[in-house]
Amino acid sequence: MKCNFLDKNTALQIKGLAAFWVMFGHFIASGFSWPMQLLNAGFLWVGIFFFFSAYGLKIKSDQTEGYPLKALLGQLFKLLLPYIIAETIFIILNQTSNSILWYVWHILFYYVVFWIVNRFDRIKENNLFWLSLFVFYLAIMFITDTGTYWYISSSPLLMGLAAWKYSSIIDKLRSNLKYKITICVVFPLLYLIMKYLELFGTNLPYFGYIITLFYLGIVPLFVLFVSTVVELIHRDSKILNFLGKISYELYLYQMIVKNLIYPIVDNAWLALFTSLLLTVVISYIMHLLHQVIFHIIKKRPSQV
């Protein structure tokens, strides 16, 4: 049976693959060179998380009549508690701040913005408003030189919001053979050009502007590419289901493991495989701990 990219179970497995690839990308960034760096595409997979976050927000908004404050606080709590635990472990281990966790703060920010916007009926369904907000983010990036983070996050968020509203149009587009062929050719080609520029083109005039344009275009193209490929070759996977369930913990704890393993293991391949395995084990343990905490807190009001 043909799978749907937006099905809950399929999305969970894609998140599992995304979490693994982000982790893999961070690990091979040290000790590996060309052509291994072609596989360092973690930033693209982060865009997948933003896409599904926005899509989930839009569904929750429709199901809860405008995304009430209680829903916002619940999601903020589920994000912040594991984050605080992970950062506390960083401090205890005398490691520097976990810089890759910018993702958490961006998601938190977007949740709050989405809640505020949903208080105003006139603008929450206004496409021009969301597009203007995206342009505003871009302007801030250029003025403050924030970096690539906003490029990665904003465009897939807009796509996630649109995917729920225009699902019928998207279904027709995905069934078009020419569209599938175009996406499966254009994205890999642009990705290879971008990686070549990253590795060998840093001395080119206006390199920063050129690579910025690639980032702006490549992330939404990647979302379309993944959605197309998944529906062509997807098979149910217990491994990806498992990784999907612990995807947030994988993101939180990968750099803790890397900072512990890479300084003491000289062989790059051994460090890579050790770090991958240890991160999965630690993430699973912490996922179970988080679930126990959430369960206890959820049960407390009923006992009062």
Side-chain angles (χ1 to χ4, degrees), residues 27-278:
F27 289 163
I28 66 171
S30 304
F32 295 92
S33 57
W34 175 275
M36 192 69 168
Q37 291 305 320
L38 282 175
L39 300 176
N40 189 353
F43 79 96
L44 292 175
W45 289 98
V46 173
I48 294 292
F49 281 107
F50 281 107
F51 172 85
F52 281 119
S53 293
Y55 184 72
L57 274 176
K58 190 60 180 168
I59 293 176
K60 189 175 288 291
S61 172
D62 288 355
Q63 291 176 343
T64 57
E65 299 182 358
Y67 195 50
L69 181 61
K70 183 178 179 181
L72 170 66
L73 294 177
Q75 288 190 292
L76 295 184
F77 178 74
K78 287 184 177 180
L79 278 173
L80 277 174
L81 181 61
Y83 170 82
I84 292 171
I85 293 174
E87 285 288 70
T88 302
I89 293 174
F90 257 76
I91 295 172
I92 293 173
L93 295 175
N94 292 319
Q95 296 184 6
T96 56
S97 178
N98 196 346
S99 60
I100 70 164
L101 296 187
W102 62 268
Y103 162 81
V104 178
W105 290 106
H106 280 238
I107 284 292
L108 290 172
F109 174 79
Y110 284 122
Y111 280 172
V112 173
V113 168
F114 188 80
W115 177 79
I116 293 173
V117 170
N118 269 272
R119 309 279 69 77
F120 303 94
D121 292 334
R122 290 185 178 181
I123 64 173
K124 69 178 183 180
E125 299 295 338
N126 191 313
N127 296 331
L128 182 61
F129 167 78
W130 289 108
L131 185 60
S132 301
L133 195 60
F134 177 54
V135 173
F136 175 70
Y137 289 150
L138 293 181
I140 291 178
M141 282 187 292
F142 282 112
I143 294 172
T144 63
D145 193 25
T146 306
T148 60
Y149 299 154
W150 291 93
Y151 307 136
I152 297 168
S153 62
S154 299
S155 53
L157 274 161
L158 287 175
M159 294 176 72
L161 293 174
W164 175 248
K165 186 175 182 180
Y166 302 107
S167 57
S168 59
I169 298 175
I170 294 172
D171 287 340
K172 291 180 180 179
L173 185 63
R174 286 204 308 257
S175 64
N176 187 298
L177 181 60
K178 290 182 180 179
Y179 163 80
K180 293 178 181 179
I181 294 174
T182 302
I183 289 296
C184 289
V185 171
V186 171
F187 169 75
L189 180 61
L190 289 179
Y191 176 74
L192 288 174
I193 295 173
M194 183 195 71
K195 294 304 289 187
Y196 181 85
L197 289 172
E198 282 183 341
L199 295 168
F200 304 113
T202 53
N203 293 324
L204 289 174
Y206 307 109
F207 169 77
Y209 293 103
I210 294 172
I211 206 67
T212 294
L213 290 175
F214 268 96
Y215 285 146
L216 282 172
I218 206 76
V219 176
L221 269 179
F222 180 66
V223 175
L224 297 176
F225 175 76
V226 171
S227 69
T228 302
V229 172
V230 162
E231 295 190 6
L232 289 173
I233 66 172
H234 176 265
R235 296 292 183 274
D236 192 58
S237 169
K238 292 182 179 180
I239 294 176
L240 291 181
N241 260 318
F242 169 71
L243 292 176
K245 290 177 182 178
I246 64 170
S247 59
Y248 188 38
E249 286 78 11
L250 288 174
Y251 198 80
L252 291 174
Y253 290 97
Q254 57 187 267
M255 293 307 290
I256 294 178
V257 174
K258 181 179 180 180
N259 291 343
L260 289 173
I261 298 300
Y262 272 66
I264 62 175
V265 178
D266 293 330
N267 184 282
W269 286 101
L270 181 59
L272 171 62
F273 288 114
T274 303
S275 298
L276 288 172
L277 179 60
L278 190 57

